Amino acid sequence: MAVKHRTLIHDGPGGRFEGVFAWDDVVSGARPGVLVIPNILGQKEEDNAKAEALAALGYAAFACDVYGQGKRTQRGPEASRYMDEMNADRGLLRDRLDTSLSALKAQSEVDAAKTAAIGFCFGGKCVLDMARSGLDILGGVSFHGVYDRPGYDNVLPIAAKLLICHGWNDPLGKPETVVALGQELTGSGADWQIHAYGNAGHAFTDANMKGSTIPGVAYEERADRRSWQAMQNFLTEVFA
């Protein structure tokens, strides 16, 4: 195994976008591709590491950028500045996700007929929006995502299979919100699963949040490990 990566810059709605593409160059031929969508902070090294971990599993992965080249934030008062712009225009967000998916599909290492998406926090919302809008993925995994619906109607039926990995104590996804998501996806004809992890909240996969004192927002090792395994099982099924 020899996992490699390269910077991938592409044009899209509103400018240029920069992410990192990872693959195992020992694997010959095209293989399924996975789009990795970052959290509130935007494209960063942690997302590149997820792409490389997916490459080690035999996929090709693109840790994408939906904010724009050079638009990144740090934790603090300004952390949500670019996410807020995207939340205010979910149609633009959808179009940027479509462009990112096209960039993934265009790589020679990727079987363009077999792609999926995974996302974390804000990225989890993005995965759901890709499915809601009918973008061409076979499946999507949302890790501690945000579940509010966009202003446009869902496609009927939703074709992409969905796995939602949810921390039960997540203050951004209270039980009634999770139930509403299940009702939405059922009404849209989706093939969906929700895995809820006890004693876990928002950001349960984010090792940078170890020791967090924010109520309901912290890293949780068991939920992180179990959800990653659930993702592997899901992708095996989706790409079979």
Side-chain angles (χ1 to χ4, degrees):
M1 182 176 65
V3 172
K4 301 211 173 165
H5 66 268
R6 61 177 176 260
T7 300
L8 185 56
I9 299 172
H10 63 89
D11 293 324
R16 307 198 84 189
F17 300 84
E18 180 177 338
V20 169
F21 178 77
W23 77 103
D24 182 351
D25 73 348
V26 173
V27 177
S28 60
R31 77 291 315 258
V34 182
L35 193 69
V36 179
I37 311 173
N39 66 11
I40 183 175
L41 303 179
Q43 215 282 352
K44 57 195 171 300
E45 185 54 40
E46 289 85 354
D47 305 302
N48 302 341
K50 294 293 186 186
E52 291 175 355
L54 286 161
L57 293 173
Y59 304 113
F62 177 34
C64 71
D65 165 26
V66 295
Y67 292 163
Q69 196 173 30
K71 293 184 176 181
R72 310 290 187 262
T73 63
Q74 303 294 323
R75 299 194 186 279
E78 294 293 310
S80 69
R81 59 179 298 193
Y82 299 122
M83 183 185 74
D84 293 343
E85 293 176 4
M86 293 291 89
N87 282 332
D89 193 343
R90 299 281 281 277
L92 177 61
L93 175 59
R94 172 199 60 213
D95 294 344
R96 288 184 175 183
L97 290 165
D98 192 20
T99 300
S100 296
L101 179 62
S102 295
L104 170 68
K105 288 175 177 283
Q107 305 310 302
S108 62
E109 296 87 355
V110 174
D111 180 347
K114 291 185 176 182
T115 57
I118 72 170
F120 303 84
C121 304
F122 171 70
K125 172 192 283 190
C126 292
V127 167
L128 294 173
D129 278 8
M130 293 180 76
R132 287 164 167 149
S133 59
L135 298 190
D136 187 25
I137 54 172
L138 297 179
V141 184
S142 169
F143 294 92
H144 43 84
V146 184
Y147 307 140
D148 59 296
R149 298 179 70 166
Y152 51 81
D153 292 334
N154 291 358
V155 296
L156 292 173
I158 288 177
K161 296 177 173 62
L162 291 169
L163 169 63
I164 295 95
C165 296
H166 175 72
W168 190 248
N169 298 333
D170 190 337
L172 302 182
K174 295 182 182 298
E176 59 270 23
T177 305
V178 179
V179 170
L181 176 64
Q183 292 171 334
E184 173 202 341
L185 297 177
T186 297
S188 295
D191 178 349
W192 62 271
Q193 312 171 47
I194 295 177
H195 293 197
Y197 301 99
N199 306 304
H202 197 67
F204 64 75
T205 68
D206 190 345
N208 291 316
M209 297 300 288
K210 289 180 180 177
S212 167
T213 59
I214 304 172
V217 182
Y219 176 72
E220 211 293 312
E221 186 276 333
R222 290 170 298 181
D224 183 21
R225 171 171 44 83
R226 291 166 179 170
S227 62
W228 189 256
Q229 183 60 58
M231 178 211 69
Q232 292 181 60
N233 297 342
F234 176 80
L235 291 179
T236 297
E237 177 183 339
V238 163
F239 291 135

